[in-house]
Amino acid sequence: MSIDFIYPEYEIARNKDRCINCRVCEKQCANEVHKYHADLKMMQADDLKCVNCQRCVSLCPTRALKIVKTDNTYKENAHWKGRTMSEIYLQAGSGGVLLSSMGNPVDYPIYWDKILINASQVTNPSIDPLREPMETRTFLGQRPNKIERDKDGNIVNNMAPQLELSTPIMFSAMSYGSISYNAHESLARAATELGIYYNTGEGGLHEDFYKYGANTIVQVASGRFGVHKDYLNAGAAVEIKMGQGAKPGIGGHLPGAKIVGDVSRTRMIPEGSDAISPAPHHDIYSIEDLHQLVMSLKEATNYTKPVIVKIAAVHNVAAIASGIARSGADIISLDGFRGGTGAAPTRIRDNVGIPIELALASVDKRLRDEGIRNNVSLVVGGSVRSSADVVKAIALGADAVYVATSALLALGCHLCRSCHGGKCNWGIATQRADLVKRLNPEIGYKRLVNLVEAWTHEIKEMMGGMGINSIEALKGNRLMLRGVGLNEKELEILGIYHAGQ
Amino acid sequence: MKRIIVNEKWCLGCRLCEYNCAFANSGSIGTTPLDMAKALKDIVINPRIKIEEKDDICFAVSCRHCKEPLCVKSCITGALTRVDGVIRINKEKCVECHTCVLVCPYGAIMPSDEGVMQKCELCVQNTGGEPFCVKGCPNKAIEFKELGGDSV
């Protein structure tokens, strides 16, 4: 036999003075960590199975539980960290690719945290959003380059189809399958109430959610799951997914175990079959090919809906975006390397792609330099954590942001990063009926609405502080930003001055 | 009249309602997790709300406060009465004949640890306001809602 025991990273600490043996932790743990020992009349926990999702901690009525990082450690080594060593043991045992979920957790620079926002003092007045109007409404889509007039001199409406957002925040793509029915319902209802959009991801649109179509972006990805004419026409916009920030360059794989019942019907594939999205779209090998798909989708939707092209932020992102802006697409969505996922190979998630802040700045600049910025709107996602990140993104040149991890956190996710296990204790990344019901959309959608409303308040406050009263005036306004602790090159790419300058 | 409404669709069978009920009726003062630990440590609880569970289905059952309550009709001593729509029990009058237990179609009356019968009184005898089972339900499977009129 091989010796492959790895001491668990986290341990469950139970305060025996407080535990009343109510067994709530036992019933709520899909990983079967907690167990009541009838002989000893006490609860016990198997740390080895714990994923640190905090469900038991959150529900323990006497606050008897906490989860702590273990102090068991390999001999310290700056080069060979404990996690690195454990991963080698795992792979030596399994021979398999390591899988992970949610966004890149590695300690790369977070540029949002090295950018500071300006405020008015003395010479230009700040605005109080409680007393004066503050416009957060945003439109996404192509802008006409010139005003056209008819023979009588009246302005001709030559606007391409637009998405109207009450606030520059949308819920990014998460497929039905990777997340649960109740999670989708929460997102759809919240988007409808907020006057924003959520995105179906590549799993198709459940028939129950067609009624939220006016606030839905339908996605077409390389697997083409669930794509048909009614689906395309059900949404307010169509998104072509070329890449995903968490796993640029590779496709997706939803295990057959999750393709059950409605998920199978919605994806239009047989139950139990793996849903494999190829790495490339097999019909797209050039911008011209992309143009064909963009135009096919516009034809299918009678030129009434904007088409979004979503790409992962990679090294040549500016050149790629320049191509997309000429492909007929209305909106480009950029997904940074910290974007989440339901499952990705660990090495790819942790090592491929670039930070969204740099990608956004370089794409916005490139499109402006080439005079094609008005061809497209820019939406960025993949690490937007707060209203401050939203403001910074818009000042760097984004038209709106996509949030997904933040939305899932609002629904209860504690970033245990075990989505690929399919046993989400919070009822989000699972298809197990007993777990799915843990997320009551009645609670979920209100929490999402609360979150976005709170952020919108904060965005207004920050804009007011800068003396700016609309998102439109903040857009690409990089003078409102200063870097701190950044080198010349980083400042140059971000197109901002250093603090103090 | 507000009623406890149970929606099995959202019940997780976590039994927090049972423990919150036991806590509410434990006579302990305070509402913090620490108070709960003190009140319920090392005891077997006997709550007035109970989870019924079979296979994939579970839901909480407590007194429905019927408009025409069989328990009140059958009570031989007048210990059970309907006051402002809430069926109350006077423990001084109960003689432990168990007739109410036999007639209640929901199994919502049961003997207490002291012997006399106990039942859900919507926490009016405790702190009042929202019943503890409702407050503590993590998934809104138990709600305290106005049903309109004096309905069952």
Side-chain angles (χ1 to χ4, degrees):
Chain A
M1 75 166 232
S2 63
I3 301 167
D4 57 1
F5 175 72
I6 295 172
Y7 198 91
E9 247 184 294
Y10 296 94
E11 292 169 19
I12 291 143
R14 190 186 312 272
N15 183 338
K16 296 219 160 60
D17 294 338
R18 285 190 174 198
C19 178
I20 55 170
N21 294 332
C22 69
R23 302 174 72 175
V24 167
C25 49
E26 184 186 15
K27 291 183 203 87
Q28 290 291 299
C29 183
N31 300 302
E32 298 175 347
V33 168
H34 302 274
K35 198 171 169 22
Y36 180 66
H37 225 286
D39 298 344
L40 301 173
K41 291 204 173 70
M42 63 188 282
M43 297 297 307
Q44 290 193 316
D46 182 356
D47 303 322
L48 211 51
K49 296 177 182 163
C50 177
V51 297
N52 195 358
C53 74
Q54 299 275 321
R55 178 79 182 178
C56 56
V57 175
S58 305
L59 282 183
C60 175
T62 57
R63 301 281 178 266
L65 287 169
K66 65 176 174 180
I67 297 177
V68 294
K69 197 162 168 39
T70 182
D71 52 6
N72 177 67
T73 174
Y74 301 126
K75 201 160 181 177
E76 277 183 24
N77 187 324
H79 185 62
W80 289 95
K81 299 237 162 61
R83 186 185 147 131
T84 314
M85 289 171 64
S86 296
E87 285 175 345
I88 289 198
Y89 298 139
L90 279 174
Q91 290 194 295
S94 70
V97 169
L98 293 170
L99 277 184
S100 293
S101 313
M102 295 313 290
N104 184 344
V106 182
D107 187 21
Y108 291 108
I110 302 166
Y111 287 95
W112 299 131
D113 295 342
K114 298 183 179 196
I115 298 174
L116 297 169
I117 299 168
N118 193 26
S120 305
Q121 299 293 303
V122 186
T123 52
N124 52 341
S126 47
I127 302 169
D128 184 348
L130 295 174
R131 295 192 172 80
E132 295 183 56
M134 188 66 72
E135 187 61 89
T136 58
R137 196 157 42 141
T138 305
F139 292 87
L140 302 180
Q142 288 179 22
R143 304 283 190 274
N145 281 315
K146 57 172 188 258
I147 293 171
E148 287 174 27
R149 293 183 187 275
D150 62 18
K151 59 181 187 325
D152 302 322
N154 298 318
I155 292 177
V156 177
N157 183 359
N158 58 353
M159 284 290 278
Q162 305 279 317
L163 287 182
E164 181 181 342
L165 281 67
S166 66
T167 190
I169 300 166
M170 303 192 287
F171 301 129
S172 39
M174 289 177 279
S175 71
Y176 173 47
S178 75
I179 60 169
S180 65
Y181 178 96
N182 289 340
H184 249 226
E185 182 179 333
S186 305
L187 290 165
R189 284 171 63 180
T192 303
E193 176 147 333
L194 287 162
I196 58 169
Y197 300 85
Y198 85 107
N199 189 313
T200 61
E202 61 171 319
L205 181 61
H206 192 284
E207 57 188 1
D208 294 355
F209 302 145
Y210 273 70
K211 60 178 179 234
Y212 304 113
N215 294 84
T216 304
I217 295 169
V218 295
Q219 199 180 58
V220 175
S222 61
R224 302 283 196 272
F225 297 119
V227 177
H228 53 94
K229 187 166 178 290
D230 293 344
Y231 168 75
L232 294 174
N233 282 292
V238 183
E239 179 173 277
I240 302 170
K241 177 196 177 188
M242 297 303 303
Q244 184 177 344
K247 41 183 173 179
I250 65 165
H253 179 175
L254 191 68
K258 286 191 182 177
I259 313 288
V260 289
D262 282 358
V263 177
S264 133
R265 250 193 315 285
T266 307
R267 292 202 173 217
M268 299 157 58
I269 54 173
E271 284 206 19
S273 63
D274 289 4
I276 296 175
S277 305
H281 285 246
H282 285 304
D283 51 353
I284 300 178
Y285 285 82
S286 65
I287 293 294
E288 291 76 10
D289 290 345
L290 177 65
H291 170 74
Q292 282 197 359
L293 181 58
V294 169
M295 296 323 281
S296 315
L297 292 173
K298 288 194 170 185
E299 183 72 31
T301 52
N302 204 21
Y303 300 90
T304 56
K305 298 175 200 300
V307 171
I308 307 170
V309 174
K310 174 180 177 177
I311 53 167
V314 290
H315 300 179
N316 292 320
V317 67
I320 298 162
S322 164
I324 297 171
R326 297 163 204 273
S327 72
D330 301 273
I331 301 163
I332 300 178
S333 154
L334 299 171
D335 198 11
F337 80 148
R338 286 192 190 274
T341 174
T346 310
R347 295 291 167 253
I348 302 230
R349 184 196 66 175
D350 295 356
N351 296 284
V352 181
I354 63 169
I356 190 64
E357 303 90 326
L358 302 179
L360 163 61
S362 67
V363 167
D364 180 63
K365 179 171 187 305
R366 177 72 169 256
L367 298 184
R368 282 179 197 284
D369 288 351
E370 295 181 356
I372 51 174
R373 182 63 180 81
N374 280 344
N375 281 13
V376 285
S377 289
L378 272 182
V379 180
V380 298
S383 77
V384 175
R385 303 156 302 172
S386 69
S387 56
D389 291 355
V390 178
V391 169
K392 291 169 190 175
I394 291 168
L396 278 177
D399 291 85
V401 302
Y402 260 147
V403 297
T405 302
S406 308
L408 293 189
L409 292 181
L411 292 177
C413 167
H414 278 60
L415 276 186
C416 73
R417 312 199 294 266
S418 313
C419 318
H420 53 290
K423 288 192 288 191
C424 176
N425 272 319
W426 293 89
I428 300 168
T430 181
Q431 299 303 325
R432 234 174 77 177
D434 61 320
L435 299 178
V436 172
K437 77 192 291 199
R438 291 184 184 181
L439 174 56
N440 183 344
E442 197 60 45
I443 302 172
Y445 102 89
K446 280 195 189 126
R447 292 179 61 85
L448 288 168
V449 169
N450 284 345
L451 178 76
V452 174
E453 284 183 345
W455 283 20
T456 305
H457 281 303
E458 291 175 341
I459 290 169
K460 288 179 179 175
E461 289 286 351
M462 279 181 271
M463 289 203 306
M466 288 181 266
I468 285 173
N469 64 1
S470 73
I471 293 290
E472 203 60 43
L474 176 64
K475 215 172 276 178
N477 197 341
R478 298 194 195 182
L479 282 173
M480 290 297 143
L481 302 176
R482 289 290 186 273
V484 63
L486 296 175
N487 64 33
E488 286 286 341
K489 195 72 195 172
E490 290 167 320
L491 291 168
E492 180 196 323
I493 295 166
L494 289 168
I496 59 175
Y497 291 120
H498 200 276
Q501 255 183 314
Chain B
M1 187 63 217
K2 276 189 164 181
R3 286 280 178 271
I4 289 178
I5 309 297
V6 173
N7 190 344
E8 69 177 62
K9 191 175 174 195
W10 302 119
C11 176
L12 310 176
C14 68
R15 296 184 188 258
L16 272 172
C17 51
E18 295 184 355
Y19 280 84
N20 280 310
C21 175
F23 179 33
N25 292 293
S26 65
S28 81
I29 301 156
T31 54
T32 68
L34 215 62
D35 298 323
M36 184 170 186
K38 191 165 144 246
L40 303 182
K41 185 82 188 147
D42 298 326
I43 63 161
V44 177
I45 60 161
N46 181 14
R48 292 147 170 78
I49 188 167
K50 290 218 166 115
I51 295 288
E52 294 291 335
E53 206 168 5
K54 191 168 191 252
D55 301 328
D56 296 339
I57 297 172
C58 53
F59 50 84
V61 179
S62 61
C63 175
R64 315 315 302 151
H65 299 277
C66 308
K67 198 172 176 183
E68 290 184 20
L70 295 174
C71 56
V72 175
K73 281 187 186 167
S74 71
C75 182
I76 59 170
T77 62
L80 284 159
T81 47
R82 196 167 194 268
V83 186
D84 300 330
V86 181
I87 294 169
R88 308 289 310 266
I89 182 158
N90 183 340
K91 297 201 169 186
E92 303 297 314
K93 288 189 182 172
C94 175
V95 294
E96 300 176 38
C97 70
H98 287 64
T99 313
C100 55
V101 177
L102 290 172
V103 299
C104 176
Y106 302 101
I109 305 187
M110 67 289 286
S112 66
D113 292 338
E114 302 91 58
V116 292
M117 301 308 117
Q118 66 173 24
K119 62 179 294 304
C120 166
E121 296 174 74
L122 297 179
C123 278
V124 288
Q125 82 285 16
N126 303 320
T127 54
E130 200 173 38
F132 266 48
C133 54
V134 177
K135 262 187 228 167
C137 179
N139 210 31
K140 268 197 179 178
I142 312 176
E143 291 185 281
F144 197 45
K145 280 205 293 210
E146 200 66 53
L147 272 189
D150 199 19
S151 51
V152 173

